[in-house]
Amino acid sequence: MRTNGKGNGMTHLPDFSRRTALAYLGAGASLMSARGCLTQPRFTESPFTLGVAAGDPTSTGLVIWTRLALAPLEPNNGLSAARIPVRWEVGSDANFNDVVRSGEAVAERQWGYSVHVEVEALQPGRPYYYRFASGGQTSPTGRAKTAPPIDAPLDRVRMAMAGCQKFSEGYYTAHRELAKEDLDFIFFYGDYIYEARTPPEDWEHPNPDSPQAIGRVHLGSECLNLAEYRQRYSQYTMDADLQASRASAAWFVTYDDHEINNNWTGRKPAYEAAKGLARRAAAMQAWYEFMPVRKSVRPQGSAVPLYRRAVYGDLVDLNLLDTRQFRTEQPCGTAIYCEDVDSPDADVLGKAQETWLFNALNNSKAQWKVLAQQVVMMDIDRDKSPGYLVASDSWAGYRVPRSRLLSYIKDREMSDVVVLTGDVHRHLAGELYVDGRNPEGPPVATEFVGTSISSGGNGSDLNGRNRRMLEANPQLRFVNGQRGYAVCEITPERWKTDFKVLDKVSDPNGTMSTRSSLAVATGDARIVSS
Ligand code: FE
Ligand code: CA
């Protein structure tokens, strides 16, 4: 049996302890009177089939998450009560000898029986352990660290970046490996699910580049409504390796396009039809239900207040961006260059988020200012010939807002700005210039792009297409087309990124290695090998 990284095997204890059982009675009674009927079923099987997770740590707290599901692929998770009480506890040790916080939450049918507890009054910069219990069953144990004291001197942050986990294209071996890393946090940029149906095997025009069938297919058809999105999230989240990685460290989560629809942008006029908004609201609700995020990020209809900031001492400001919701439509389809890439009306972040980000950069006291986001910021030429072609779903398709952001950083002589990105199912490392075709002076910032967990199948280290991309783009320093994730070791002197790759994801026994380690020193955005 595969290790799930949770350690203590206490999955069927009748209760946490006598002390918490007494607290349970007290809390239950007050909830009864204040909020109406709670039903406590007795569970003969574990309702914690989707595991546990934690996220959005601050120096004083974090979110812990679970979701009750006896039958996760069924409507209403195989449960019937409208509201089910769930006990939770947070300990300073894996055996819960020292429980520092505990309480009761309510899993509500209308939120898919998800539980998001915002635990407060914790100590900064240390690991905590957490678990849930309901109806005589106890969840697996999760572990997550709080953030260090704000503005305090900090000598090291170790984080990972991951995303793009198409279930039907590869096993989650990268998650199994992620769970073994000792991380302060994981930035999960998005594509947690893919909304499409898996094409049938007798698909008339098979793509010769598509990954080999691995025997994992999406259940159901393309996700369009809440029930379908929930089932897709459940199918993905039932994976033991994914559960291990979610239970191993705090996640900072954003979405990319496939949580909603391929290449989705919020300001695509044709998409703003009533049907589109209903689909988006369903997609956003399912995303929220499954993610360890705070209530401040909960969708309001089809809108999600996603962008936010986390602070790690005086070392790292993590600006979590939303490059989908406020973005204008791609200028000219995808992967095509046209004059519209110079449109002055184009937007990636939207006015409010852009102003928020500029102020955050301007006011930052941190050594490293991180833009944790979704789509590639380098203006990479993807043309095989001397011509110039950009992927118009990337920042390069939005030259005016891209130039506005990079010029803002350059004009104020800000240093140590690092952009973290996903989306393209490749590891990339490169340097950011206002105009990458005509670089002037030193680079403005550095970009590290993390490859996919599974999307794209096994891939290859450097195929012909990737080699041509490397040759045509001097600002691009590294390309790899395999699966994995990136680990960043951040100190006051330098930022080092280890690009981890798997030899294969077509079966569950892939082997992980570090393909390349690249670094930037404080005060110099140029990439050097480490
Ligand atoms: Fe993806
Ligand atoms: Ca895409």
Side-chain angles (χ1 to χ4, degrees):
M1 196 180 138
R2 192 171 293 159
T3 172
N4 63 10
K6 288 156 204 152
N8 72 3
M10 297 163 80
T11 48
H12 292 285
L13 292 183
D15 270 308
F16 287 138
S17 67
R18 188 175 137 75
R19 178 165 53 89
T20 51
L22 289 170
Y24 163 93
L25 290 173
S30 65
L31 276 163
M32 288 273 223
S33 54
R35 298 179 57 188
C37 190
L38 276 173
T39 310
Q40 177 64 78
R42 293 302 294 177
F43 293 119
T44 53
E45 291 170 56
S46 176
F48 298 105
T49 52
L50 296 167
V52 298
D56 278 3
T58 64
S59 56
T60 58
L62 39 71
V63 180
I64 57 173
W65 172 96
T66 193
R67 182 176 175 95
L68 300 185
L70 287 174
L73 301 173
E74 299 300 317
N76 290 325
N77 311 351
L79 298 164
S80 54
R83 305 174 76 239
I84 301 173
V86 181
R87 292 281 313 156
W88 58 270
E89 60 182 15
V90 174
S92 60
D93 66 304
N95 296 319
F96 296 92
N97 293 321
D98 179 28
V99 173
V100 296
R101 292 282 170 262
S102 62
E104 186 182 86
V106 178
E108 296 182 78
R109 186 166 57 209
Q110 69 176 112
W111 292 101
Y113 300 101
S114 60
V115 176
H116 299 76
V117 179
E118 298 187 28
V119 183
E120 278 303 327
L122 299 177
Q123 297 297 310
R126 58 147 298 157
Y128 284 99
Y129 299 82
Y130 60 94
R131 63 183 178 181
F132 301 86
S134 186
Q137 301 284 338
T138 301
S139 77
T141 295
R143 177 183 185 272
K145 288 183 189 171
T146 48
I150 292 173
D151 296 340
L154 189 64
D155 56 14
R156 185 171 174 266
V157 165
R158 188 163 192 272
M159 59 150 287
M161 154 171 61
C164 288
Q165 50 187 24
K166 195 169 193 177
F167 186 79
S168 51
E169 293 187 344
Y171 286 89
Y172 289 169
T173 316
H175 276 303
R176 191 164 80 223
E177 297 294 326
L178 258 179
K180 297 178 198 163
E181 307 269 1
D182 184 18
L183 299 165
D184 292 299
F185 62 86
I186 293 169
F187 165 48
F188 192 92
Y189 55 78
D191 285 3
Y192 186 96
I193 59 150
Y194 285 70
E195 81 289 5
R197 72 194 285 252
T198 300
E201 280 167 11
D202 61 353
W203 198 31
E204 280 179 39
H205 304 288
N207 176 356
D209 294 333
S210 64
Q212 65 185 109
I214 60 160
R216 303 213 304 183
V217 296
H218 285 155
L219 293 170
S221 55
E222 182 177 0
C223 300
L224 298 172
N225 61 41
L226 182 57
E228 290 164 345
Y229 279 109
R230 280 173 169 168
Q231 189 193 51
R232 189 62 53 86
Y233 275 91
S234 287
Q235 186 186 14
Y236 278 52
T237 308
M238 287 166 74
D239 184 279
D241 292 329
L242 174 53
Q243 287 188 18
S245 141
R246 279 160 68 93
S248 72
W251 283 33
F252 286 103
V253 187
T254 64
Y255 48 69
D256 193 22
D257 53 337
H258 286 286
E259 279 83 351
I260 296 99
N261 192 12
N262 185 31
N263 290 329
W264 166 72
T265 66
R267 283 160 64 192
K268 190 177 281 192
Y271 196 79
E272 296 299 327
K275 185 172 169 246
L277 284 177
R279 179 184 184 179
R280 199 166 116 189
M284 296 300 193
Q285 177 167 343
W287 174 83
Y288 170 78
E289 286 179 2
F290 278 85
M291 294 302 126
V293 292
R294 291 176 186 273
K295 289 204 175 59
S296 58
V297 178
R298 189 154 82 178
Q300 294 147 14
S302 63
V304 185
L306 182 72
Y307 63 85
R308 58 204 192 276
R309 178 163 50 253
V311 181
Y312 274 69
D314 65 352
L315 194 57
V316 175
D317 268 5
L318 187 70
N319 298 289
L320 296 147
L321 305 184
D322 179 347
T323 59
R324 290 284 170 194
Q325 189 172 198
F326 310 107
R327 191 180 347 158
T328 49
E329 191 169 16
Q330 290 88 354
C332 28
T334 49
I336 299 168
Y337 182 81
C338 66
E339 288 181 1
D340 289 350
V341 300
D342 290 311
S343 166
D345 302 323
D347 249 326
V348 175
L349 301 175
K351 197 83 251 142
Q353 182 178 197
E354 188 176 289
T355 303
W356 170 89
L357 176 62
F358 286 2
N359 286 334
L361 290 170
N362 217 14
N363 297 331
S364 175
K365 298 187 199 112
Q367 183 74 53
W368 297 98
K369 292 151 282 282
V370 182
L371 278 55
Q373 49 106 52
Q374 296 81 34
V375 290
V376 171
M377 197 174 286
M378 281 180 280
D379 45 358
I380 296 172
D381 178 8
R382 288 163 172 265
D383 197 352
K384 301 180 185 113
S385 61
Y388 183 64
L389 276 178
V390 296
S392 70
D393 188 49
S394 76
W395 280 85
Y398 300 77
R399 289 173 62 83
V400 170
R402 181 183 178 281
S403 160
R404 201 158 56 226
L405 171 58
L406 291 171
S407 298
Y408 188 90
I409 295 166
K410 184 182 184 186
D411 293 349
R412 282 158 188 77
E413 298 182 334
M414 292 177 185
S415 64
D416 311 323
V417 176
V418 171
V419 178
L420 300 180
T421 305
D423 186 53
V424 289
H425 308 167
R426 289 180 185 89
H427 282 311
L428 306 175
E431 295 157 356
L432 287 161
Y433 297 88
V434 175
D435 181 354
R437 282 182 295 172
N438 302 294
E440 285 176 21
V444 176
T446 311
E447 182 168 28
F448 294 112
V449 180
T451 192
S452 57
I453 292 284
S454 60
S455 305
N458 291 342
S460 60
D461 182 27
L462 195 59
N463 62 19
R465 193 168 151 209
N466 286 345
R467 183 173 293 112
R468 281 191 297 274
M469 202 196 325
L470 204 50
E471 284 162 2
N473 291 278
Q475 77 276 42
L476 188 60
R477 310 300 299 276
F478 173 66
V479 181
N480 166 278
Q482 290 169 290
R483 308 286 73 83
Y485 56 86
V487 173
C488 305
E489 290 234 7
I490 310 162
T491 68
E493 293 79 37
R494 72 164 190 174
W495 176 302
K496 178 169 80 90
T497 301
D498 290 340
F499 292 99
K500 306 268 188 170
V501 300
L502 288 161
D503 60 343
K504 59 184 172 185
V505 291
S506 52
D507 72 53
N509 301 311
T511 303
M512 176 147 277
S513 59
T514 301
R515 173 62 186 81
S516 184
S517 291
L518 297 172
V520 283
T522 309
D524 186 348
R526 284 174 302 180
I527 289 173
V528 294
S529 56
S530 83

